[in-house]
Amino acid sequence: MPQTILHADLDAFFASVEQLDRPELRGKPVVVGGPPERRGVVAAASYEARRFGVRSAMPMARALRLCPEALRVPPRFDRYAELSHRVMAIFRSITPLVEPLSLDEAYLGVTAEVEAHGGPERLARSLKERVQRETGLVVSVGVGANKSVAKIASDRGKPDGLVVVPAGKEAEFLHDLPVRDLWGIGPRSEELLHRAGVETIGDLARLPAEAATRLLGSRGAELRDMANGVDPRPVVTSRERKSVGAETTFPRDLPDGPELRAELRQLAEEVATRLRHEGKLGYTVTLKLRYHDFRTVTRQQTLARPVDAGDEVERVAAALLDGLGTAGARFRLVGVTCSRLVERGAWQPDLWGAVADPFADGPGRTAPAQAAEGQRPQD
Amino acid sequence: MKVAIPQDSLARALGIVSRAVPSRSPLPVVSNVLLTTDDHRLKLVATNLEIALTVWIGAQVSEEGTITVPARLFSEFVSQLKGDQPVQITLPPRSRQLNVHCGRDEANIGGMPADDFPVVPEVTDGQRLVLPARGLRRAIEEVVFAAARDDSRPVLTGVHVQVADGVAELAGADGFRLAVHRLRLPAPSAEGSPEPFSVNIPWSTLDHLGRLLSESGDVQMAVNGERTRALFRLDDIELVTQLIPGTFPNYQQLIPTTYATRARVSVEEFLHETKIAAIFARDGSGIVRLHVTPGEGGGPGSLQVSARADEVGDNRGEIDAAVDGEPSKIAFNSRYLIDVLSVLEPGELALETSGPSNPGVLRPLGHDDYVHVVMPMFVQW
């Protein structure tokens, strides 16, 4: 039986929340993020600001150069989490199959709901209207037979989009789109594909399987399938969360420095906000870094006491970064994850927690840094 | 080999050494028991390579010899034999079939050569001391349960034994609780008191040892010079164990020296109410909540033990308490409370607390030789 999956993505979410709460910002270029003098990065930009070329993860100083009249506001993650919660609740009232991807994005499994709503387009329209009416936010929606198609569809329609890809028309919809629109193709993969003459998703779809693997490594087969409109990943809901994480791929590779550190701070804050949102605390903080050559390393530290505050998560992540020896290295991605989660309402603190390094002379509980060398997908 | 032994003493000896036999081992001979004639005795040895148990029993030895046979099979067979007849054990020369004969029952058990059996290491060149069996048994009972069962911090799977100034202090701790028992040693002999030393003994070794200890008599303990092995000698039993390397963390700093509230309660009543609350706590992360209320106008105070689980239900139970200090509340994992209350001797204990997020302390009254520290759970009151 063909599936119907809906991808819902709030437009310029953080910036829209600011414009919602502060009417004087409406219709104006708004950028959310830390101040340029503290090397802040853009967490979100309103569509008015995007017209000037401002993008997420861009250094704030650069954003303000591109758009000098932009109004900068500091992020308020707790407020975003609150609104995200309300939007997700609307999604859940439509279908129990909701898989949130982040605060502003979710997949909805709506196969069983489509008929009762009079078809996918009507369902998507009523969802958009409810979100607008009940929260004042604008959500772009894509509907398709699988996750990959639905996500590309919601992206194509932005802002305030509604794109339905009828079953069986996936290839037609995808084939003329640029290959970077495919989930999982970043700037680096795009460049490699371009060099091989692959410009559109259709070009990738027509590529022999071996060529796809040669160009894209282990993900080649999966990406080629997606290019052909095939994506078997199911909508996963209500799993017991084992971790909460966030990561950013930079528009260009960054050295360790104020920009990277600012991004780390923002990720830590986002992770901490989501932990609080879910009523959890995390014992283990993991830092993920991808080097310019796709080599990926993770470093983690387990704490004596679980945390849910942004500055605590940031402090641990920053210390892990300090311990890495980053001189001369350039990074394309940074991520922060909290794991070993416990309920905030009731958890068992550690007896040794209050004592400064009781294991200084003996074997430690957890190696402070565990390394995991990643694969080079391009090799 | 040709030996005759009373059935009951052979069955008892096999029962003891069998505890060291691992249920699964990469080395097949380790699931066997080693039988060796030793003067006028039969020596039985079993090992799981971490500990080795040796038992000697009086026997009528007509021919010397040695063999290993499957411990479980041999032990089960012997335990079923009639007690009023001696068991005749015969190993013909150059044979690996042990013939076991008792009254009208007879069996042949295939064995493996004694040479294949691991050698039990000697423990000779280090410290020696004498421990009172009864006191050691109690100390083990009160401490072993608190040692860590998972080996994320390997040193905590051991019980730390520190000998100094005529006292052996046993301490067990996992991440959440600490049990410390101070065992007074018998007056030093003519050789003088033992040199101070400390070792980490695997909790499972002490658990085995505790089951072997009787109500009276002494236990001799020896540690080798490298502090890698220890030996315990009871009358006709020897236990040799590996020790756990590493420095046990300084636990003294975990024992609070002050309190805001001290409640004296009956150990039995506290245990009883905790067990009731644990039924309700089962669906709520095992949380048991304690409320201590001082008495008014000279009346007794109270300790309320309660638990609740969302959508399941709740309960409250109350016992008398002589309270010193302010009213207090604290929440514990029910299992941690039951573990310690179950091993304390009947009588009174003092529960000392300093707020809901600081460690609670339990001290049996009348013995200043034991203290238990347990970390409360963080709950939303």
Side-chain angles (χ1 to χ4, degrees):
Chain A
M1 177 177 147
Q3 299 286 309
T4 306
I5 290 175
L6 187 153
H7 180 260
D9 195 350
L10 291 160
D11 292 344
F13 178 47
F14 299 170
S16 300
V17 172
E18 297 303 336
Q19 290 178 322
L20 185 71
D21 288 352
R22 297 169 56 184
E24 73 274 17
L25 298 177
R26 291 179 196 167
K28 303 209 169 108
V30 174
V31 286
V32 178
E37 59 275 18
R38 287 190 54 215
R39 307 280 183 156
V41 291
V42 176
S46 72
Y47 280 93
E48 295 84 357
R50 290 186 196 193
R51 275 199 287 274
F52 292 86
V54 177
R55 295 285 180 270
S56 296
M58 178 181 280
M60 185 60 76
R62 179 146 167 260
L64 294 176
R65 271 201 305 280
L66 286 169
C67 180
E69 61 268 49
L71 298 159
R72 187 192 66 80
V73 292
R76 297 179 298 152
F77 288 104
D78 284 321
R79 173 67 176 148
Y80 309 148
E82 182 193 331
L83 275 165
S84 167
H85 196 67
R86 279 165 54 194
V87 171
M88 295 296 168
I90 295 170
F91 295 169
R92 289 198 178 87
S93 72
I94 290 169
T95 170
L97 288 177
V98 175
E99 178 182 345
L101 298 174
S102 63
L103 288 175
D104 58 355
E105 205 185 336
Y107 286 115
L108 284 70
V110 292
T111 312
E113 281 74 23
V114 166
E115 204 172 317
H117 281 81
E121 178 155 358
R122 283 192 158 188
L123 184 147
R125 193 160 300 288
S126 83
L127 180 140
K128 282 171 65 71
E129 284 165 6
R130 278 195 61 193
V131 170
Q132 168 93 58
R133 193 168 61 239
E134 294 175 30
T135 67
L137 294 167
V138 178
V139 62
S140 287
V141 173
V143 185
N146 59 53
K147 281 185 169 180
S148 151
V149 169
K151 187 167 164 81
I152 293 170
S154 77
D155 226 37
R156 295 303 297 172
K158 270 177 171 296
D160 196 11
L162 198 179
V163 175
V164 177
V165 180
K169 303 279 188 188
E170 289 81 13
E172 201 176 303
F173 167 69
L174 293 171
H175 278 186
D176 291 336
L177 300 178
V179 72
R180 70 165 166 278
D181 281 5
L182 207 56
W183 175 87
I185 304 274
R188 179 72 48 146
S189 305
E190 185 189 12
E191 195 190 318
L192 284 161
L193 289 167
H194 280 182
R195 256 187 257 152
V198 176
E199 299 281 342
T200 65
I201 294 179
D203 294 339
L204 176 58
R206 284 183 291 269
L207 216 58
E210 315 82 70
T213 307
R214 199 173 59 240
L215 282 168
L216 299 166
S218 55
R219 301 176 307 147
E222 191 192 358
L223 289 168
R224 183 169 162 273
D225 280 350
M226 283 188 192
N228 279 303
V230 175
D231 177 8
R233 293 174 300 155
V235 175
V236 183
T237 60
S238 72
R239 59 191 155 189
E240 186 56 26
R241 270 204 179 280
K242 293 226 164 68
S243 66
V244 170
E247 59 183 49
T248 300
T249 302
F250 306 121
R252 57 192 171 81
D253 297 348
L254 287 183
D256 184 8
E259 255 176 68
L260 184 70
R261 299 284 170 157
E263 187 58 42
L264 197 63
R265 186 179 321 128
Q266 204 132 283
L267 292 170
E269 192 55 56
E270 184 181 340
V271 166
T273 302
R274 278 166 54 200
L275 282 174
R276 292 196 295 274
H277 186 49
E278 298 196 12
K280 299 275 169 73
L281 297 152
Y283 270 106
T284 302
V285 176
T286 303
L287 172 74
K288 175 179 171 183
L289 282 167
R290 181 164 296 151
Y291 288 83
H292 71 283
D293 61 357
F294 279 84
R295 193 162 48 90
T296 305
V297 299
T298 62
R299 291 286 185 277
Q300 67 178 45
Q301 175 146 26
T302 296
L303 309 167
R305 181 177 65 75
V307 294
D308 70 349
D311 56 346
E312 293 171 314
V313 175
E314 185 209 343
R315 193 154 54 236
V316 179
L320 291 169
L321 182 56
D322 292 341
L324 212 51
T326 52
R330 298 184 73 79
F331 301 99
R332 65 189 327 267
L333 173 149
V334 62
V336 175
T337 302
C338 275
S339 55
R340 256 193 77 194
L341 305 184
V342 294
E343 295 292 329
R344 183 168 56 207
W347 53 280
Q348 174 72 64
D350 191 306
L351 184 58
W352 307 95
V355 182
D357 203 6
F359 293 88
D361 298 318
R365 59 181 309 187
T366 306
Q370 291 169 352
E373 293 289 321
Q375 296 288 313
R376 294 183 188 200
Q378 312 292 329
D379 287 353
Chain B
M1 180 162 83
K2 194 164 179 164
V3 182
I5 319 142
Q7 185 271 347
D8 56 348
S9 62
L10 180 60
R12 172 182 157 273
L14 284 168
I16 290 169
V17 296
S18 295
R19 291 185 200 141
V21 177
S23 49
R24 229 173 280 136
S25 171
L27 193 61
V29 75
V30 165
S31 47
N32 283 11
V33 54
L34 172 68
L35 307 175
T36 312
T37 56
D38 182 2
D39 202 3
H40 297 292
R41 297 181 299 177
L42 180 69
K43 182 171 88 168
L44 299 87
V45 185
T47 182
N48 63 11
L49 304 176
E50 180 176 77
I51 71 168
L53 273 164
T54 306
V55 180
W56 286 265
I57 47 178
Q60 195 184 352
V61 178
S62 332
E63 273 173 37
E64 303 276 322
T66 182
I67 182 83
T68 77
V69 289
R72 187 152 165 222
L73 178 78
F74 187 42
S75 174
E76 281 183 27
F77 175 66
V78 169
S79 69
Q80 291 297 326
L81 296 173
K82 291 200 174 66
D84 51 359
Q85 307 259 1
V87 181
Q88 303 280 348
I89 293 175
T90 312
L91 180 70
R94 286 179 301 282
S95 167
R96 286 196 197 160
Q97 286 263 320
L98 190 72
N99 178 272
V100 186
H101 188 205
C102 179
R104 298 168 75 177
D105 287 299
E106 187 181 1
N108 289 301
I109 300 177
M112 295 169 76
D115 290 346
D116 295 352
F117 200 79
V119 174
V120 178
E122 303 261 322
V123 182
T124 48
D125 54 341
Q127 307 288 331
R128 288 176 180 280
L129 85 149
V130 177
L131 297 153
R134 184 184 175 168
L136 180 59
R137 194 168 81 171
R138 227 190 86 215
I140 288 172
E141 211 176 312
E142 291 182 349
V143 165
V144 159
F145 71 89
R149 297 301 191 261
D150 76 277
D151 52 10
S152 57
R153 305 167 184 174
V155 75
L156 292 186
T157 62
V159 167
H160 185 248
V161 178
Q162 180 165 12
V163 175
D165 304 327
V167 171
E169 184 166 286
L170 281 75
D174 59 16
F176 311 111
R177 52 199 170 151
L178 163 72
V180 182
H181 186 111
R182 286 171 65 79
L183 175 63
R184 210 156 287 287
L185 299 175
S189 62
E191 302 158 34
S193 44
E195 291 282 305
F197 70 93
S198 64
V199 288
N200 304 315
I201 304 177
W203 71 265
S204 53
T205 296
L206 287 182
D207 193 50
H208 282 301
L209 180 65
R211 290 162 205 268
L212 299 174
L213 293 170
S214 56
E215 280 296 307
S216 61
D218 287 336
V219 183
Q220 291 167 55
M221 179 181 172
V223 177
N224 69 343
E226 295 174 316
R227 302 262 193 282
T228 55
R229 281 190 292 275
L231 162 81
F232 294 92
R233 182 178 293 125
L234 290 70
D235 296 335
D236 51 4
I237 305 171
E238 274 187 11
L239 188 162
V240 173
T241 181
Q242 304 281 347
L243 296 173
I244 299 173
T247 305
F248 203 82
N250 173 10
Y251 54 84
Q252 293 297 346
Q253 59 187 334
L254 297 181
I255 305 174
T257 49
T258 59
Y259 57 81
T261 308
R262 183 172 192 263
R264 270 170 37 211
V265 296
S266 147
V267 172
E268 299 95 309
E269 287 176 11
F270 192 4
L271 175 60
H272 185 228
E273 290 304 331
T274 305
K275 282 182 171 169
I276 294 173
I279 300 167
F280 286 82
R282 217 175 282 154
D283 291 313
S285 314
I287 301 162
V288 168
R289 291 159 203 263
L290 308 181
H291 283 89
V292 176
T293 312
E296 283 173 25
S302 67
L303 169 64
Q304 188 198 67
V305 185
S306 65
R308 62 168 185 255
D310 291 345
E311 294 164 24
V312 175
D314 56 50
N315 88 301
R316 272 164 306 289
E318 201 174 276
I319 60 174
D320 285 343
V323 181
D324 169 17
E326 55 200 47
S328 72
K329 60 185 180 184
I330 193 164
F332 291 114
N333 183 323
S334 61
R335 189 166 67 83
Y336 295 166
L337 280 185
I338 290 172
D339 279 353
V340 58
L341 294 172
S342 302
V343 300
L344 292 181
E345 294 190 325
E348 272 199 313
L349 69 79
L351 170 68
E352 299 172 357
T353 58
S354 308
S357 54
N358 290 313
V361 182
L362 287 87
R363 300 179 192 272
L365 293 177
H367 323 261
D368 58 357
D369 58 2
Y370 184 68
V371 60
H372 190 75
V373 181
V374 56
M375 194 65 193
M377 287 196 73
F378 176 88
V379 301
Q380 316 234 296
W381 293 87

